[in-house]
Amino acid sequence: MLAIFHKAFAHPPEELKSPAKHKTQPKLPEETLQEFLSVHPTNTFSMTFGDAAVLAYVKPNLNYSVNQRLFTSFDDIYCLFMGSLNNLCSQIKQYGLSKNTNEAMFVIEAYRTLRDRGPYPADQVIKDLEGSFAFVVYDSKTGTVFTALGSDGGVKLYWGIAADGSVVISDDLEVIKAGCAKSFAPFPKGCMFHSEGGLMSFEHPMNKLKAMPRVDSEGVMCGSNFKVDTYSRVNSIPRRGSEANWTQWDDHYAS
């Protein structure tokens, strides 16, 4: 899968951008999209939302696999999902959804609940999900981006910065390398990224994330990894109602 979001709608950590000057430079989003489509010329579906976002999806060869790939939309909300949820049945029952609801449809409903009326913070909702999963949600009405990666490492996800500052997210490492040059990193396990709340750990929501410098085999500084800093706590003011769902972690990164 491939998702690209204009910098006006998604603000990743500054440390994701490589500080090094290198002969290989990041590409523009449209170049990355065309390369992605050329690798999968017959079984790829893509959607473009003006200059705001691009979503591309490679149709699976099998109806089901451990790392199934799903793409669905509802009410102008789009979801790319990979993997599977072991507790999907109990989750759809809790949300009052039909039995034929798949993981992508469930994630959209969970997002809508958080956005509109959710009594729980987003980190608690994602923490309740069991299984190997990664998803990207784009709300085209509000321009909101919401991404998460499970903590068990069963699904891989990467993100980086394009030439124009756009955020690029994909499970294809080669696509990320080609499109973002050295300004990329693995998306941190057990974490979620939201347009308003930024990057945070849903497993340890009260701990800051620390940027860990990363050097590749050529000795070049790349985009940083992010890990939970067990010694640093987030300073936040408790909020009530839906306002608390997407908390602004103003000082979420450890110094």
mmCIF file with all atom_site columns, all heavy atoms in Angstrom, residues 199-220:
data_model
loop_
_atom_site.group_PDB
_atom_site.id
_atom_site.type_symbol
_atom_site.label_atom_id
_atom_site.label_alt_id
_atom_site.label_comp_id
_atom_site.label_asym_id
_atom_site.label_entity_id
_atom_site.label_seq_id
_atom_site.pdbx_PDB_ins_code
_atom_site.Cartn_x
_atom_site.Cartn_y
_atom_site.Cartn_z
_atom_site.occupancy
_atom_site.B_iso_or_equiv
_atom_site.pdbx_formal_charge
_atom_site.auth_seq_id
_atom_site.auth_comp_id
_atom_site.auth_asym_id
_atom_site.auth_atom_id
_atom_site.pdbx_PDB_model_num
ATOM 1   N N   . LEU A 1 199 ? 2.736  12.008 16.732 1.00 0.00 ? 199 LEU A N   1
ATOM 2   C CA  . LEU A 1 199 ? 3.166  10.630 16.964 1.00 0.00 ? 199 LEU A CA  1
ATOM 3   C C   . LEU A 1 199 ? 3.175  10.328 18.458 1.00 0.00 ? 199 LEU A C   1
ATOM 4   O O   . LEU A 1 199 ? 3.720  11.098 19.244 1.00 0.00 ? 199 LEU A O   1
ATOM 5   C CB  . LEU A 1 199 ? 4.560  10.413 16.381 1.00 0.00 ? 199 LEU A CB  1
ATOM 6   C CG  . LEU A 1 199 ? 5.166  9.009  16.535 1.00 0.00 ? 199 LEU A CG  1
ATOM 7   C CD1 . LEU A 1 199 ? 4.390  7.987  15.716 1.00 0.00 ? 199 LEU A CD1 1
ATOM 8   C CD2 . LEU A 1 199 ? 6.644  9.021  16.112 1.00 0.00 ? 199 LEU A CD2 1
ATOM 9   N N   . MET A 1 200 ? 2.598  9.189  18.838 1.00 0.00 ? 200 MET A N   1
ATOM 10  C CA  . MET A 1 200 ? 2.605  8.793  20.239 1.00 0.00 ? 200 MET A CA  1
ATOM 11  C C   . MET A 1 200 ? 2.515  7.276  20.338 1.00 0.00 ? 200 MET A C   1
ATOM 12  O O   . MET A 1 200 ? 2.102  6.590  19.401 1.00 0.00 ? 200 MET A O   1
ATOM 13  C CB  . MET A 1 200 ? 1.452  9.432  21.000 1.00 0.00 ? 200 MET A CB  1
ATOM 14  C CG  . MET A 1 200 ? 0.081  8.971  20.559 1.00 0.00 ? 200 MET A CG  1
ATOM 15  S SD  . MET A 1 200 ? -1.275 9.633  21.561 1.00 0.00 ? 200 MET A SD  1
ATOM 16  C CE  . MET A 1 200 ? -1.024 8.761  23.100 1.00 0.00 ? 200 MET A CE  1
ATOM 17  N N   . SER A 1 201 ? 2.906  6.752  21.473 1.00 0.00 ? 201 SER A N   1
ATOM 18  C CA  . SER A 1 201 ? 2.793  5.323  21.742 1.00 0.00 ? 201 SER A CA  1
ATOM 19  C C   . SER A 1 201 ? 1.418  5.046  22.336 1.00 0.00 ? 201 SER A C   1
ATOM 20  O O   . SER A 1 201 ? 1.039  5.646  23.329 1.00 0.00 ? 201 SER A O   1
ATOM 21  C CB  . SER A 1 201 ? 3.877  4.875  22.728 1.00 0.00 ? 201 SER A CB  1
ATOM 22  O OG  . SER A 1 201 ? 3.602  3.573  23.214 1.00 0.00 ? 201 SER A OG  1
ATOM 23  N N   . PHE A 1 202 ? 0.654  4.124  21.704 1.00 0.00 ? 202 PHE A N   1
ATOM 24  C CA  . PHE A 1 202 ? -0.632 3.779  22.297 1.00 0.00 ? 202 PHE A CA  1
ATOM 25  C C   . PHE A 1 202 ? -0.473 2.745  23.405 1.00 0.00 ? 202 PHE A C   1
ATOM 26  O O   . PHE A 1 202 ? -1.378 2.534  24.202 1.00 0.00 ? 202 PHE A O   1
ATOM 27  C CB  . PHE A 1 202 ? -1.643 3.307  21.240 1.00 0.00 ? 202 PHE A CB  1
ATOM 28  C CG  . PHE A 1 202 ? -1.247 2.081  20.452 1.00 0.00 ? 202 PHE A CG  1
ATOM 29  C CD1 . PHE A 1 202 ? -1.325 0.813  20.997 1.00 0.00 ? 202 PHE A CD1 1
ATOM 30  C CD2 . PHE A 1 202 ? -0.826 2.201  19.138 1.00 0.00 ? 202 PHE A CD2 1
ATOM 31  C CE1 . PHE A 1 202 ? -0.981 -0.312 20.266 1.00 0.00 ? 202 PHE A CE1 1
ATOM 32  C CE2 . PHE A 1 202 ? -0.481 1.083  18.391 1.00 0.00 ? 202 PHE A CE2 1
ATOM 33  C CZ  . PHE A 1 202 ? -0.557 -0.182 18.960 1.00 0.00 ? 202 PHE A CZ  1
ATOM 34  N N   . GLU A 1 203 ? 0.695  2.104  23.479 1.00 0.00 ? 203 GLU A N   1
ATOM 35  C CA  . GLU A 1 203 ? 0.969  1.177  24.577 1.00 0.00 ? 203 GLU A CA  1
ATOM 36  C C   . GLU A 1 203 ? 1.411  1.913  25.831 1.00 0.00 ? 203 GLU A C   1
ATOM 37  O O   . GLU A 1 203 ? 1.116  1.497  26.942 1.00 0.00 ? 203 GLU A O   1
ATOM 38  C CB  . GLU A 1 203 ? 2.054  0.187  24.159 1.00 0.00 ? 203 GLU A CB  1
ATOM 39  C CG  . GLU A 1 203 ? 1.604  -0.832 23.125 1.00 0.00 ? 203 GLU A CG  1
ATOM 40  C CD  . GLU A 1 203 ? 2.598  -1.957 22.992 1.00 0.00 ? 203 GLU A CD  1
ATOM 41  O OE1 . GLU A 1 203 ? 3.796  -1.660 22.831 1.00 0.00 ? 203 GLU A OE1 1
ATOM 42  O OE2 . GLU A 1 203 ? 2.174  -3.117 23.063 1.00 0.00 ? 203 GLU A OE2 1
ATOM 43  N N   . HIS A 1 204 ? 2.142  3.010  25.635 1.00 0.00 ? 204 HIS A N   1
ATOM 44  C CA  . HIS A 1 204 ? 2.643  3.802  26.762 1.00 0.00 ? 204 HIS A CA  1
ATOM 45  C C   . HIS A 1 204 ? 2.326  5.286  26.501 1.00 0.00 ? 204 HIS A C   1
ATOM 46  O O   . HIS A 1 204 ? 3.237  6.096  26.277 1.00 0.00 ? 204 HIS A O   1
ATOM 47  C CB  . HIS A 1 204 ? 4.156  3.603  26.927 1.00 0.00 ? 204 HIS A CB  1
ATOM 48  C CG  . HIS A 1 204 ? 4.559  2.168  27.036 1.00 0.00 ? 204 HIS A CG  1
ATOM 49  N ND1 . HIS A 1 204 ? 4.440  1.446  28.202 1.00 0.00 ? 204 HIS A ND1 1
ATOM 50  C CD2 . HIS A 1 204 ? 5.069  1.308  26.114 1.00 0.00 ? 204 HIS A CD2 1
ATOM 51  C CE1 . HIS A 1 204 ? 4.864  0.214  28.006 1.00 0.00 ? 204 HIS A CE1 1
ATOM 52  N NE2 . HIS A 1 204 ? 5.241  0.104  26.754 1.00 0.00 ? 204 HIS A NE2 1
ATOM 53  N N   . PRO A 1 205 ? 1.052  5.652  26.526 1.00 0.00 ? 205 PRO A N   1
ATOM 54  C CA  . PRO A 1 205 ? 0.650  7.004  26.123 1.00 0.00 ? 205 PRO A CA  1
ATOM 55  C C   . PRO A 1 205 ? 1.159  8.123  27.030 1.00 0.00 ? 205 PRO A C   1
ATOM 56  O O   . PRO A 1 205 ? 1.192  9.278  26.607 1.00 0.00 ? 205 PRO A O   1
ATOM 57  C CB  . PRO A 1 205 ? -0.879 6.928  26.150 1.00 0.00 ? 205 PRO A CB  1
ATOM 58  C CG  . PRO A 1 205 ? -1.193 5.821  27.106 1.00 0.00 ? 205 PRO A CG  1
ATOM 59  C CD  . PRO A 1 205 ? -0.106 4.820  26.913 1.00 0.00 ? 205 PRO A CD  1
ATOM 60  N N   . MET A 1 206 ? 1.553  7.792  28.244 1.00 0.00 ? 206 MET A N   1
ATOM 61  C CA  . MET A 1 206 ? 2.033  8.827  29.149 1.00 0.00 ? 206 MET A CA  1
ATOM 62  C C   . MET A 1 206 ? 3.547  8.986  29.126 1.00 0.00 ? 206 MET A C   1
ATOM 63  O O   . MET A 1 206 ? 4.110  9.774  29.880 1.00 0.00 ? 206 MET A O   1
ATOM 64  C CB  . MET A 1 206 ? 1.569  8.533  30.581 1.00 0.00 ? 206 MET A CB  1
ATOM 65  C CG  . MET A 1 206 ? 0.055  8.588  30.750 1.00 0.00 ? 206 MET A CG  1
ATOM 66  S SD  . MET A 1 206 ? -0.684 10.105 30.079 1.00 0.00 ? 206 MET A SD  1
ATOM 67  C CE  . MET A 1 206 ? 0.097  11.338 31.108 1.00 0.00 ? 206 MET A CE  1
ATOM 68  N N   . ASN A 1 207 ? 4.215  8.221  28.256 1.00 0.00 ? 207 ASN A N   1
ATOM 69  C CA  . ASN A 1 207 ? 5.659  8.358  28.098 1.00 0.00 ? 207 ASN A CA  1
ATOM 70  C C   . ASN A 1 207 ? 5.992  9.072  26.799 1.00 0.00 ? 207 ASN A C   1
ATOM 71  O O   . ASN A 1 207 ? 5.318  8.889  25.785 1.00 0.00 ? 207 ASN A O   1
ATOM 72  C CB  . ASN A 1 207 ? 6.345  6.983  28.094 1.00 0.00 ? 207 ASN A CB  1
ATOM 73  C CG  . ASN A 1 207 ? 6.334  6.332  29.457 1.00 0.00 ? 207 ASN A CG  1
ATOM 74  O OD1 . ASN A 1 207 ? 5.487  5.498  29.757 1.00 0.00 ? 207 ASN A OD1 1
ATOM 75  N ND2 . ASN A 1 207 ? 7.273  6.727  30.298 1.00 0.00 ? 207 ASN A ND2 1
ATOM 76  N N   . LYS A 1 208 ? 7.026  9.888  26.840 1.00 0.00 ? 208 LYS A N   1
ATOM 77  C CA  . LYS A 1 208 ? 7.478  10.568 25.635 1.00 0.00 ? 208 LYS A CA  1
ATOM 78  C C   . LYS A 1 208 ? 8.151  9.576  24.686 1.00 0.00 ? 208 LYS A C   1
ATOM 79  O O   . LYS A 1 208 ? 8.595  8.503  25.094 1.00 0.00 ? 208 LYS A O   1
ATOM 80  C CB  . LYS A 1 208 ? 8.473  11.672 25.990 1.00 0.00 ? 208 LYS A CB  1
ATOM 81  C CG  . LYS A 1 208 ? 7.870  12.827 26.776 1.00 0.00 ? 208 LYS A CG  1
ATOM 82  C CD  . LYS A 1 208 ? 8.913  13.896 27.030 1.00 0.00 ? 208 LYS A CD  1
ATOM 83  C CE  . LYS A 1 208 ? 8.343  15.072 27.805 1.00 0.00 ? 208 LYS A CE  1
ATOM 84  N NZ  . LYS A 1 208 ? 9.348  16.135 28.033 1.00 0.00 ? 208 LYS A NZ  1
ATOM 85  N N   . LEU A 1 209 ? 8.226  9.964  23.411 1.00 0.00 ? 209 LEU A N   1
ATOM 86  C CA  . LEU A 1 209 ? 8.988  9.209  22.423 1.00 0.00 ? 209 LEU A CA  1
ATOM 87  C C   . LEU A 1 209 ? 10.311 9.918  22.187 1.00 0.00 ? 209 LEU A C   1
ATOM 88  O O   . LEU A 1 209 ? 10.359 11.140 22.100 1.00 0.00 ? 209 LEU A O   1
ATOM 89  C CB  . LEU A 1 209 ? 8.210  9.098  21.105 1.00 0.00 ? 209 LEU A CB  1
ATOM 90  C CG  . LEU A 1 209 ? 6.961  8.216  21.140 1.00 0.00 ? 209 LEU A CG  1
ATOM 91  C CD1 . LEU A 1 209 ? 6.236  8.293  19.804 1.00 0.00 ? 209 LEU A CD1 1
ATOM 92  C CD2 . LEU A 1 209 ? 7.321  6.773  21.460 1.00 0.00 ? 209 LEU A CD2 1
ATOM 93  N N   . LYS A 1 210 ? 11.354 9.138  22.091 1.00 0.00 ? 210 LYS A N   1
ATOM 94  C CA  . LYS A 1 210 ? 12.679 9.695  21.904 1.00 0.00 ? 210 LYS A CA  1
ATOM 95  C C   . LYS A 1 210 ? 13.201 9.361  20.513 1.00 0.00 ? 210 LYS A C   1
ATOM 96  O O   . LYS A 1 210 ? 13.125 8.215  20.074 1.00 0.00 ? 210 LYS A O   1
ATOM 97  C CB  . LYS A 1 210 ? 13.643 9.133  22.953 1.00 0.00 ? 210 LYS A CB  1
ATOM 98  C CG  . LYS A 1 210 ? 15.009 9.794  22.951 1.00 0.00 ? 210 LYS A CG  1
ATOM 99  C CD  . LYS A 1 210 ? 15.838 9.320  24.135 1.00 0.00 ? 210 LYS A CD  1
ATOM 100 C CE  . LYS A 1 210 ? 17.170 10.060 24.205 1.00 0.00 ? 210 LYS A CE  1
ATOM 101 N NZ  . LYS A 1 210 ? 17.961 9.654  25.397 1.00 0.00 ? 210 LYS A NZ  1
ATOM 102 N N   . ALA A 1 211 ? 13.691 10.382 19.802 1.00 0.00 ? 211 ALA A N   1
ATOM 103 C CA  . ALA A 1 211 ? 14.272 10.183 18.478 1.00 0.00 ? 211 ALA A CA  1
ATOM 104 C C   . ALA A 1 211 ? 15.657 9.567  18.622 1.00 0.00 ? 211 ALA A C   1
ATOM 105 O O   . ALA A 1 211 ? 16.504 10.087 19.349 1.00 0.00 ? 211 ALA A O   1
ATOM 106 C CB  . ALA A 1 211 ? 14.363 11.511 17.734 1.00 0.00 ? 211 ALA A CB  1
ATOM 107 N N   . MET A 1 212 ? 15.868 8.448  17.923 1.00 0.00 ? 212 MET A N   1
ATOM 108 C CA  . MET A 1 212 ? 17.146 7.744  17.968 1.00 0.00 ? 212 MET A CA  1
ATOM 109 C C   . MET A 1 212 ? 17.841 7.884  16.612 1.00 0.00 ? 212 MET A C   1
ATOM 110 O O   . MET A 1 212 ? 17.350 7.375  15.601 1.00 0.00 ? 212 MET A O   1
ATOM 111 C CB  . MET A 1 212 ? 16.911 6.263  18.283 1.00 0.00 ? 212 MET A CB  1
ATOM 112 C CG  . MET A 1 212 ? 16.051 6.013  19.514 1.00 0.00 ? 212 MET A CG  1
ATOM 113 S SD  . MET A 1 212 ? 16.848 6.552  21.036 1.00 0.00 ? 212 MET A SD  1
ATOM 114 C CE  . MET A 1 212 ? 18.186 5.356  21.138 1.00 0.00 ? 212 MET A CE  1
ATOM 115 N N   . PRO A 1 213 ? 18.955 8.613  16.548 1.00 0.00 ? 213 PRO A N   1
ATOM 116 C CA  . PRO A 1 213 ? 19.660 8.799  15.278 1.00 0.00 ? 213 PRO A CA  1
ATOM 117 C C   . PRO A 1 213 ? 19.972 7.457  14.615 1.00 0.00 ? 213 PRO A C   1
ATOM 118 O O   . PRO A 1 213 ? 20.313 6.480  15.280 1.00 0.00 ? 213 PRO A O   1
ATOM 119 C CB  . PRO A 1 213 ? 20.940 9.524  15.698 1.00 0.00 ? 213 PRO A CB  1
ATOM 120 C CG  . PRO A 1 213 ? 20.571 10.220 16.971 1.00 0.00 ? 213 PRO A CG  1
ATOM 121 C CD  . PRO A 1 213 ? 19.621 9.307  17.668 1.00 0.00 ? 213 PRO A CD  1
ATOM 122 N N   . ARG A 1 214 ? 19.858 7.423  13.291 1.00 0.00 ? 214 ARG A N   1
ATOM 123 C CA  . ARG A 1 214 ? 20.047 6.182  12.549 1.00 0.00 ? 214 ARG A CA  1
ATOM 124 C C   . ARG A 1 214 ? 21.019 6.419  11.398 1.00 0.00 ? 214 ARG A C   1
ATOM 125 O O   . ARG A 1 214 ? 20.877 7.372  10.627 1.00 0.00 ? 214 ARG A O   1
ATOM 126 C CB  . ARG A 1 214 ? 18.691 5.697  12.012 1.00 0.00 ? 214 ARG A CB  1
ATOM 127 C CG  . ARG A 1 214 ? 18.693 4.322  11.380 1.00 0.00 ? 214 ARG A CG  1
ATOM 128 C CD  . ARG A 1 214 ? 17.247 3.881  11.133 1.00 0.00 ? 214 ARG A CD  1
ATOM 129 N NE  . ARG A 1 214 ? 16.590 4.745  10.168 1.00 0.00 ? 214 ARG A NE  1
ATOM 130 C CZ  . ARG A 1 214 ? 16.572 4.514  8.842  1.00 0.00 ? 214 ARG A CZ  1
ATOM 131 N NH1 . ARG A 1 214 ? 17.171 3.440  8.345  1.00 0.00 ? 214 ARG A NH1 1
ATOM 132 N NH2 . ARG A 1 214 ? 15.944 5.340  8.035  1.00 0.00 ? 214 ARG A NH2 1
ATOM 133 N N   . VAL A 1 215 ? 22.003 5.541  11.283 1.00 0.00 ? 215 VAL A N   1
ATOM 134 C CA  . VAL A 1 215 ? 23.011 5.625  10.225 1.00 0.00 ? 215 VAL A CA  1
ATOM 135 C C   . VAL A 1 215 ? 22.920 4.368  9.383  1.00 0.00 ? 215 VAL A C   1
ATOM 136 O O   . VAL A 1 215 ? 22.855 3.246  9.909  1.00 0.00 ? 215 VAL A O   1
ATOM 137 C CB  . VAL A 1 215 ? 24.434 5.769  10.815 1.00 0.00 ? 215 VAL A CB  1
ATOM 138 C CG1 . VAL A 1 215 ? 25.474 5.825  9.705  1.00 0.00 ? 215 VAL A CG1 1
ATOM 139 C CG2 . VAL A 1 215 ? 24.519 7.019  11.690 1.00 0.00 ? 215 VAL A CG2 1
ATOM 140 N N   . ASP A 1 216 ? 22.914 4.519  8.047  1.00 0.00 ? 216 ASP A N   1
ATOM 141 C CA  . ASP A 1 216 ? 22.799 3.347  7.182  1.00 0.00 ? 216 ASP A CA  1
ATOM 142 C C   . ASP A 1 216 ? 24.164 2.732  6.895  1.00 0.00 ? 216 ASP A C   1
ATOM 143 O O   . ASP A 1 216 ? 25.199 3.158  7.443  1.00 0.00 ? 216 ASP A O   1
ATOM 144 C CB  . ASP A 1 216 ? 22.068 3.689  5.888  1.00 0.00 ? 216 ASP A CB  1
ATOM 145 C CG  . ASP A 1 216 ? 22.841 4.664  4.992  1.00 0.00 ? 216 ASP A CG  1
ATOM 146 O OD1 . ASP A 1 216 ? 24.021 4.956  5.287  1.00 0.00 ? 216 ASP A OD1 1
ATOM 147 O OD2 . ASP A 1 216 ? 22.259 5.119  3.994  1.00 0.00 ? 216 ASP A OD2 1
ATOM 148 N N   . SER A 1 217 ? 24.205 1.717  6.028  1.00 0.00 ? 217 SER A N   1
ATOM 149 C CA  . SER A 1 217 ? 25.438 0.989  5.732  1.00 0.00 ? 217 SER A CA  1
ATOM 150 C C   . SER A 1 217 ? 26.468 1.850  5.014  1.00 0.00 ? 217 SER A C   1
ATOM 151 O O   . SER A 1 217 ? 27.652 1.503  4.987  1.00 0.00 ? 217 SER A O   1
ATOM 152 C CB  . SER A 1 217 ? 25.120 -0.247 4.878  1.00 0.00 ? 217 SER A CB  1
ATOM 153 O OG  . SER A 1 217 ? 24.480 0.136  3.667  1.00 0.00 ? 217 SER A OG  1
ATOM 154 N N   . GLU A 1 218 ? 26.021 2.987  4.447  1.00 0.00 ? 218 GLU A N   1
ATOM 155 C CA  . GLU A 1 218 ? 26.946 3.908  3.785  1.00 0.00 ? 218 GLU A CA  1
ATOM 156 C C   . GLU A 1 218 ? 27.509 4.941  4.757  1.00 0.00 ? 218 GLU A C   1
ATOM 157 O O   . GLU A 1 218 ? 28.307 5.791  4.372  1.00 0.00 ? 218 GLU A O   1
ATOM 158 C CB  . GLU A 1 218 ? 26.242 4.622  2.632  1.00 0.00 ? 218 GLU A CB  1
ATOM 159 C CG  . GLU A 1 218 ? 25.735 3.681  1.542  1.00 0.00 ? 218 GLU A CG  1
ATOM 160 C CD  . GLU A 1 218 ? 24.967 4.426  0.465  1.00 0.00 ? 218 GLU A CD  1
ATOM 161 O OE1 . GLU A 1 218 ? 24.557 5.592  0.713  1.00 0.00 ? 218 GLU A OE1 1
ATOM 162 O OE2 . GLU A 1 218 ? 24.788 3.861  -0.620 1.00 0.00 ? 218 GLU A OE2 1
ATOM 163 N N   . GLY A 1 219 ? 27.067 4.857  6.006  1.00 0.00 ? 219 GLY A N   1
ATOM 164 C CA  . GLY A 1 219 ? 27.531 5.823  6.995  1.00 0.00 ? 219 GLY A CA  1
ATOM 165 C C   . GLY A 1 219 ? 26.821 7.158  6.925  1.00 0.00 ? 219 GLY A C   1
ATOM 166 O O   . GLY A 1 219 ? 27.298 8.157  7.487  1.00 0.00 ? 219 GLY A O   1
ATOM 167 N N   . VAL A 1 220 ? 25.652 7.194  6.266  1.00 0.00 ? 220 VAL A N   1
ATOM 168 C CA  . VAL A 1 220 ? 24.894 8.436  6.089  1.00 0.00 ? 220 VAL A CA  1
ATOM 169 C C   . VAL A 1 220 ? 23.764 8.501  7.111  1.00 0.00 ? 220 VAL A C   1
ATOM 170 O O   . VAL A 1 220 ? 23.066 7.514  7.345  1.00 0.00 ? 220 VAL A O   1
ATOM 171 C CB  . VAL A 1 220 ? 24.314 8.525  4.658  1.00 0.00 ? 220 VAL A CB  1
ATOM 172 C CG1 . VAL A 1 220 ? 23.505 9.808  4.497  1.00 0.00 ? 220 VAL A CG1 1
ATOM 173 C CG2 . VAL A 1 220 ? 25.439 8.460  3.635  1.00 0.00 ? 220 VAL A CG2 1
#
